[in-house]
Amino acid sequence: MRLLGAWSRRGILAAALLAGQCLIATAQEAYPTRSIRLLVGFAAGGATDVTFRKLGELASKQLGQPIIIENKPGAGATLAPSTMAKTEKPDGYTIAVATAGLLRYPYMQKVDWDPIKDFTWIAGLGGYSFALAVNADSPLKNIGDLIAYAKENPGKLTIATAGAGTTMHLLAEALAGMAEIEITHVGYRGSSEAGTAVLGGHTMATVDAVGTILPNIESGRMRVLLSFDAQPTDWLRGVPTAKSLGYDLVYPAPYGLVGPKDMPAPIVDKLYQAFKAAAESDEYHKLLETLKQTEWHRAPREYEQWAKEFYVSERSLVDRAKLLRQP
């Protein structure tokens, strides 16, 4: 009787385990059954916000549930994904935007999260182009003027960006280091604030995504002095690249989606397929053209492998920008 009782208990446990596994499998197959939060580490109105509002809108049609954008700027655009990684369940109902800053910030500040292991890498979706611009009324007519002014007035050249630790900040500091000039970085909560500061004469220049500053260029309110593209582009005709001027700064920064670590593969695949379809749509391609962003698609495994390699390479940029934290 004791033996039979033991076998009965084992059978009950096995049945319970199987039932639990079936429930999990059913939940994954049914996903999503409610709205999904997408955390964006930049303020509303900037290129990243506009990009992911459109991607979220298009992907929600594929998933059959709304994707709600929540702006959470801070910590070099890492506050959104790092908070998600530490507090949210890996059930696919809270995901976050990943930009290059996620793989750079740990070199600049001590953090309590791992940029690779604490995330599920869902999809690589596109990339930015960056440029340095001034107010159209600025006496700095070209990059030579800017560098000459900075050398004659150490520390007085103010450059606004979307925040400390962002790619824009790193590019400004790296350019300053290569040109052997001193600048004063002014970090704002987002690109719109940084642009307003330049237009209002509060700062002298800005480094930002081309798509963000392009309306001000086209309206004649800003002038681009330099881009960080590999080659000159049609939308910035006559503007030299940093590389063409002898500065080894070519920086197309990819962006994508991450979730908390250990997300189930079926959920990751559903998200990937939905956002892949969104990124391949004609509607999104029109937005890429408007924002002057580049196509850059990576499936989950490819995206994670890229992240591992990029994380290693980012140390050199942080070092060149003289922002490498001390042990």
Side-chain angles (χ1 to χ4, degrees):
M1 292 294 292
R2 289 180 181 175
L3 183 60
L4 181 60
W7 278 108
S8 296
R9 287 193 296 272
R10 289 179 186 175
I12 292 171
L13 288 172
L17 179 61
L18 180 60
Q21 291 173 340
C22 289
L23 286 172
I24 292 172
T26 301
Q28 291 174 8
E29 289 174 5
Y31 171 86
T33 58
R34 54 187 170 87
S35 62
I36 297 166
R37 296 166 64 219
L38 174 52
L39 308 184
V40 178
F42 291 85
T48 306
D49 176 69
V50 172
T51 295
F52 278 90
R53 285 185 186 276
K54 176 55 68 175
L55 281 170
E57 173 194 325
L58 295 171
S60 68
K61 297 175 182 178
Q62 302 288 324
L63 293 167
Q65 293 290 343
I67 295 176
I68 300 170
I69 304 296
E70 292 186 18
N71 298 94
K72 201 176 186 68
T78 68
L79 184 62
S82 63
T83 300
M84 173 206 67
K86 291 184 290 185
T87 62
E88 301 296 333
K89 297 177 181 178
D91 56 9
Y93 289 103
T94 302
I95 55 179
V97 172
T99 58
L102 187 64
L103 300 164
R104 174 196 313 126
Y105 201 69
Y107 291 125
M108 302 168 61
Q109 299 288 334
K110 187 175 181 179
V111 298
D112 59 354
W113 44 270
D114 186 284
I116 303 297
K117 296 177 182 177
D118 285 341
F119 298 94
T120 297
W121 295 82
I122 299 170
L125 295 168
Y128 307 101
S129 292
F130 296 97
L132 184 151
V134 297
N135 191 306
D137 296 331
S138 171
L140 307 177
K141 302 300 183 182
N142 53 53
I143 197 66
D145 290 344
L146 182 143
I147 291 174
Y149 173 86
K151 287 188 174 181
E152 293 172 7
N153 303 273
K156 290 187 178 181
L157 176 64
T158 52
I159 299 184
T161 74
T166 59
T167 296
M168 302 79 143
H169 179 201
L170 265 288
L171 289 174
E173 297 286 1
L175 179 63
M178 292 180 182
E180 299 181 338
I181 60 175
E182 294 180 26
I183 66 169
T184 295
H185 171 254
V186 185
Y188 289 88
R189 285 179 54 83
S191 293
S192 57
E193 289 185 11
T196 299
V198 173
L199 293 173
H202 306 297
T203 55
M204 299 178 67
T206 183
V207 174
D208 212 332
V210 171
T212 299
I213 60 177
L214 194 62
N216 290 321
I217 303 304
E218 293 174 337
S219 67
R221 295 190 296 171
M222 277 189 185
R223 179 169 60 253
V224 177
L225 304 188
L226 173 149
S227 82
F228 297 95
D229 291 311
Q231 301 290 336
T233 58
D234 291 340
W235 53 83
L236 293 177
R237 291 185 179 180
V239 175
T241 65
K243 184 178 180 180
S244 72
L245 296 173
Y247 304 112
D248 186 20
L249 275 176
V250 176
Y251 203 85
Y255 55 76
L257 284 178
V258 293
K261 66 178 180 180
D262 299 328
M263 285 178 62
I267 290 178
V268 173
D269 186 61
K270 283 190 178 182
L271 286 168
Y272 167 65
Q273 295 297 340
F275 277 91
K276 179 175 181 286
E280 291 176 346
S281 68
D282 291 340
E283 191 173 350
Y284 188 64
H285 283 165
K286 290 179 182 178
L287 180 63
L288 286 181
E289 175 59 28
T290 299
L291 296 178
K292 307 309 176 190
Q293 294 178 8
T294 56
E295 294 184 39
W296 189 82
H297 295 171
R298 294 292 186 278
R301 288 186 180 179
E302 280 184 292
Y303 192 30
E304 183 177 7
Q305 183 59 38
W306 168 84
K308 290 176 180 177
E309 295 170 359
F310 192 79
Y311 177 47
V312 173
S313 68
E314 275 298 86
R315 182 186 176 92
S316 63
L317 179 61
V318 176
D319 194 21
R320 279 187 288 171
K322 298 180 180 179
L323 293 171
L324 195 64
R325 69 178 176 89
Q326 298 302 310

